[in-house]
Amino acid sequence: MSQLPESFLPNYRTPCWHRPTQQQQHASPASHLNLPPGSAADRTPQAAAAAAAVALEGSAELLQAVKQLQQQQQQQEQELQCLPYFHILGSFQSGAFSLYSMLEQHPDVAKGHNPRPHFWAEHDKNLSSYMAELQGALPYMQQRPGSALLGDASESSFAFYMAAGLRGHRVWLRTLQPCQERCAGRLQEPQLGHCKEACWQNATHADRTVAAKLRLPRWQLDTPLLMKAAYSGRNPVGAAAVYGSATTGLSMSRYRQAAAAAAAAAVPKLVVLLRDPAQRLLSSFLEYGHYTSKYGDGPEGFLAFVKEQLAAFEGCVARHGSLEECVLLFESLDTANEKVFFHCDQVLRGMYWVFLQGWQRHFGPDQLLVLLSEDLFKSPKAVLRRVVRFLGLAGNVPDDRWAAMEAAGAASHRQSLTTQHKYYEAVPEARRLVDAFYAPHNIQLGQLLMGRAVSPWEDHGNP
């Protein structure tokens, strides 16, 4: 985050800034004026200006021309960097990238970059790598600074459970990994198991210490907090606690000014697509081969997957007593959870309300739009127009462009509507277990979305 600016360029609608190139940072004043190195002009800007005046025989007009050329050269040597104006946060298997494919056909949505960099959910990527993924869109941004919007369609961003939220728990990871390596290098079972459990406890204590500095529960060291900091002038408290002492130098008063400006601009815009979690769970089982390889490629395999994963999560809640911690910190809570196959990741992704309340904690209704995937699949044109209005994109585009936008996601819609429901038909026990598990979570989601305790999918019915 130390690379982020305290404010963004006023003439760009997307949050952008100029970063000096390495060449510019090391260039001397003499290099801009084509004067010999080692001269007086090579020591200070004032000396450079004086030497230029002498070289130009005191001509004020020529000196002004040199200064203008200097400014133009400096601007050309600055690198444009941009954070996305909008994020299609997810969820997976819910049509998120289909929606982005439609939006990308709009003339004001930037093109040419990798739209799915998965920066926020992959902690090993730094800001430089994120900027590199988005770099292809920069020429488009420079051509239309006042209207072009840069988008990120990484579906991994929405559900910030532990594996996808390690960016906020680096202290835990830095404490755990070397400790485990020491255990493995010198111990055998059962001492090895006891040593690893102690490592888990030490890492958890270190993580809680970071959270305590922020006066937050540990499970709130999350992606929304970090994204809010990135768009609000490098929050020095949150960023320094999570990332380390490198993030310094911005006073709290300056931060508050930057945060207020970001809030006034209502950036970033966040769009979430949520699909019936029972259908999303089945789609994920069929999508990723490691599940069918372990549990079996068929309805009975899906039933075995459901039984084991749901029981593992319920066991976590029974041991630790906190549903939010089991959703957001599952594999970090104890070694029993760590041994669960892929740490219940697909089950966790469907507990939408836990993640949504995290996003609502930091972003208001003018920044966060939640849609149901079933509406997109059945009425893509209506949903697309709603998203266009939310993002502030021009609605008066030619009819052929609207047609291209609607057609871009058609194949994904058809695929989503024809999910292999025969798995649930063949093993109705799986459907009963999954529906019973998600029912209270869907009601919680309805409370967040509509202010009443009812599932958002109550009127959509089950296929």
Side-chain angles (χ1 to χ4, degrees):
M1 281 196 181
S2 61
Q3 298 179 46
L4 292 170
E6 295 180 16
S7 60
F8 299 110
L9 295 173
N11 57 321
Y12 279 80
R13 193 170 173 206
T14 288
C16 296
W17 68 100
H18 280 131
R19 186 185 73 174
T21 63
Q22 187 174 6
Q23 177 184 359
Q24 183 185 5
Q25 290 170 345
H26 295 291
S28 69
S31 66
H32 293 297
L33 293 169
N34 293 320
L35 296 175
S39 66
D42 203 23
R43 291 193 290 271
T44 66
Q46 292 82 1
V54 172
L56 296 171
E57 298 180 351
S59 170
E61 293 81 3
L62 288 175
L63 181 57
Q64 182 62 31
V66 169
K67 290 182 178 180
Q68 291 176 353
L69 287 173
Q70 281 185 276
Q71 293 173 355
Q72 291 173 7
Q73 184 174 356
Q74 289 173 353
Q75 291 174 356
Q76 290 172 357
E77 291 175 351
Q78 289 177 328
E79 289 182 344
L80 182 67
Q81 308 270 264
C82 298
L83 288 173
Y85 177 90
F86 69 92
H87 294 259
I88 308 295
L89 296 177
S91 180
F92 278 114
Q93 287 81 47
S94 300
F97 189 66
S98 175
L99 175 61
Y100 181 82
S101 299
M102 299 165 75
L103 289 170
E104 194 176 29
Q105 304 303 312
H106 193 284
D108 287 336
V109 173
K111 301 157 182 65
H113 63 295
N114 174 18
R116 301 163 94 178
H118 297 292
F119 165 74
W120 294 100
E122 296 182 6
H123 71 280
D124 56 335
K125 294 183 176 180
N126 57 29
L127 189 69
S128 295
S129 67
Y130 191 29
M131 295 297 99
E133 298 269 23
L134 303 175
Q135 188 174 22
L138 298 185
Y140 196 90
M141 304 295 301
Q142 290 167 324
Q143 293 168 9
R144 314 167 68 112
S147 61
L149 304 184
L150 180 62
D152 181 328
S154 304
E155 304 100 321
S156 59
S157 301
F158 173 70
F160 44 87
Y161 56 91
M162 191 66 179
L166 278 170
R167 189 174 293 281
H169 299 278
R170 292 189 174 206
V171 171
W172 179 84
L173 198 62
R174 288 197 300 263
T175 305
L176 180 69
Q177 286 181 331
C179 182
Q180 284 193 318
E181 290 170 2
R182 289 193 296 271
C183 293
R186 59 187 176 84
L187 297 174
Q188 300 293 326
E189 294 292 357
Q191 290 81 7
L192 178 60
H194 298 321
C195 186
K196 286 188 174 181
E197 189 68 47
C199 291
W200 241 260
Q201 294 174 5
N202 291 339
T204 298
H205 174 74
D207 214 25
R208 284 182 175 150
T209 300
V210 169
K213 291 179 181 179
L214 295 174
R215 300 181 182 179
L216 293 173
R218 182 186 169 214
W219 51 271
Q220 286 188 19
L221 295 176
D222 54 25
T223 302
L225 170 68
L226 298 179
M227 188 180 288
K228 181 68 173 180
Y231 282 84
S232 300
R234 291 187 287 126
N235 177 340
V237 178
V242 174
Y243 287 95
S245 59
T247 315
T248 58
L250 182 62
S251 68
M252 282 304 298
S253 62
R254 297 283 295 280
Y255 161 65
R256 291 191 185 99
Q257 293 172 6
V267 176
K269 297 282 191 177
L270 310 173
V271 180
V272 183
L273 274 166
L274 302 179
R275 182 183 179 190
D276 175 1
Q279 293 300 330
R280 201 216 64 80
L281 185 65
L282 173 56
S283 290
S284 66
F285 176 80
L286 298 172
E287 175 76 15
Y288 305 112
H290 49 269
Y291 299 114
T292 54
S293 296
K294 174 177 171 58
Y295 296 101
D297 187 6
E300 293 299 330
F302 179 61
L303 177 60
F305 163 75
V306 165
K307 285 183 174 180
E308 182 175 296
Q309 298 281 300
L310 296 186
F313 180 79
E314 290 166 348
C316 176
V317 176
R319 289 193 304 277
H320 296 279
S322 170
L323 187 139
E324 283 91 346
E325 284 200 350
C326 283
V327 173
L328 300 175
L329 305 172
F330 185 83
E331 62 263 41
S332 76
L333 295 177
D334 56 41
T335 53
N337 287 352
E338 196 275 335
K339 293 175 182 176
V340 176
F341 190 69
F342 275 79
H343 313 132
C344 295
D345 60 339
Q346 298 303 332
V347 170
L348 302 178
R349 286 179 182 175
M351 302 167 76
Y352 302 131
W353 71 271
V354 178
F355 307 110
L356 182 59
Q357 72 175 2
W359 291 104
Q360 290 180 334
R361 191 160 43 241
H362 296 284
F363 300 97
D366 56 340
Q367 290 178 269
L368 184 59
L369 176 64
V370 182
L371 304 166
L372 299 186
S373 303
E374 290 78 7
D375 292 335
L376 176 67
F377 301 154
K378 294 177 182 178
S379 306
K381 184 175 182 179
V383 171
L384 179 59
R385 288 187 178 275
R386 184 177 176 188
V387 176
V388 165
R389 288 195 300 271
F390 173 73
L391 296 180
L393 289 165
N396 57 338
V397 298
D399 291 342
D400 60 342
R401 186 56 67 96
W402 271 112
M405 293 170 68
E406 294 168 30
S412 297
H413 301 332
R414 286 194 296 271
Q415 183 179 4
S416 300
L417 288 169
T418 57
T419 299
Q420 299 181 42
H421 304 301
K422 63 182 182 181
Y423 277 60
Y424 278 131
E425 295 170 0
V427 284
E429 182 183 0
R431 186 70 198 229
R432 288 195 298 271
L433 289 171
V434 173
D435 283 347
F437 177 83
Y438 281 123
H441 301 295
N442 291 344
I443 289 173
Q444 287 271 63
L445 178 65
Q447 188 71 45
L448 289 179
L449 293 178
M450 302 175 287
R452 54 195 181 95
V454 61
S455 168
W457 293 277
E458 183 182 58
D459 297 330
H460 285 78
N462 293 321

